[in-house]
Amino acid sequence: GDSVTQMEGPVTLSEEAFLTINCTYTATGYPSLFWYVQYPGEGLQLLLKATKADDKGSNKGFEATYRKETTSFHLEKGSVQVSDSAVYFCALSDRGGSNYKLTFGKGTLLTVNP
Amino acid sequence: NAGVTQTPKFRILKIGQSMTLQCTQDMNHNYMYWYRQDPGMGLKLIYYSVGAGITDKGEVPNGYNVSRSTTEDFPLRLELAAPSQTSVYFCASSYPVRQGNEKLFFGSGTQLSVL
């Protein structure tokens, strides 16, 4: 079945540091890939997405590139801010499966200190 | 702009009790979902609905029931609470989903403990 594996957290960084959160996936078909973010006390919200190989999703300074050869979708940001402190979820939707659901990773807690 | 609203935010139940988690959305979305998130785990789909009067099971439906009498509301029912149902529950909604357009809008969650 489909699965998503994220790097173990928590991740703690200083402001302006470089961020990488690793995500790899297993899928039976040709998935679309997503990063969702959950800020404290809020629900998840879509951060960025990519629908085919070599696509780069980007939003709010975050980027992730769909790498089919390594089945990866790592999240990066060049300079994090305190306001980026949140839980980040990698997810996929498999074209070969149901269109109605996403498969989520376990989430990675990011804390950014001033 | 309310979005997806879940109530209650926190609840403690005794084993065997029943309760309903409420979820309502004001975006006129056809699709609605219930997920649970166990500590250190990803979200698991419990039930989903593609429109009023239509519901279907997700990955982990046992011990739960849902109904969808209106577009706006999608309550989740626990009939006989068990400790294994201790979790954080998220309701979500979306427009009709097609591949690559899976933008879900989530509520802020209900933290449920069964003791």
Side-chain angles (χ1 to χ4, degrees), chain A residues 32 36 43 49 93 99-100 105-106, chain B residues 33 40 42 97 99-100 102 104 107:
Chain A
S32 296
Y36 275 78
K49 69 177 184 181
S93 174
N99 280 335
Y100 306 144
K106 295 181 180 182
Chain B
Y33 317 78
V97 170
Q99 184 69 38
E102 294 86 337
L104 273 60

Side-chain angles (χ1 to χ4, degrees), chain A residues 3-78:
Chain A
S3 67
V4 174
T5 303
Q6 290 181 234
M7 67 184 288
E8 293 285 333
V11 175
T12 302
L13 296 173
S14 298
E15 207 165 23
E16 299 183 0
F18 184 84
L19 169 71
T20 300
I21 300 178
N22 290 338
C23 172
T24 58
Y25 66 89
T26 302
T28 54
Y30 196 150
S32 296
L33 302 173
F34 307 84
W35 278 100
Y36 275 78
V37 58
Q38 183 184 21
Y39 297 106
E42 300 182 11
L44 284 74
Q45 55 186 276
L46 181 64
L47 179 61
L48 53 84
K49 69 177 184 181
T51 58
K52 61 182 186 295
D54 300 324
D55 265 2
K56 178 185 285 187
S58 62
N59 187 22
K60 298 182 180 180
F62 291 89
E63 293 183 339
T65 301
Y66 190 142
R67 301 289 187 198
K68 190 170 185 288
E69 64 275 14
T70 56
T71 62
S72 64
F73 193 54
H74 304 321
L75 182 68
E76 296 182 336
K77 186 174 186 182

Side-chain angles (χ1 to χ4, degrees), chain B residues 22-41:
Chain B
Q22 301 291 345
C23 176
T24 186
Q25 52 93 8
D26 62 359
M27 296 173 281
N28 202 32
H29 287 162
N30 292 95
Y31 289 19
M32 296 187 75
Y33 317 78
W34 275 105
Y35 287 88
R36 60 177 285 174
Q37 182 185 23
D38 299 329
M41 304 295 290

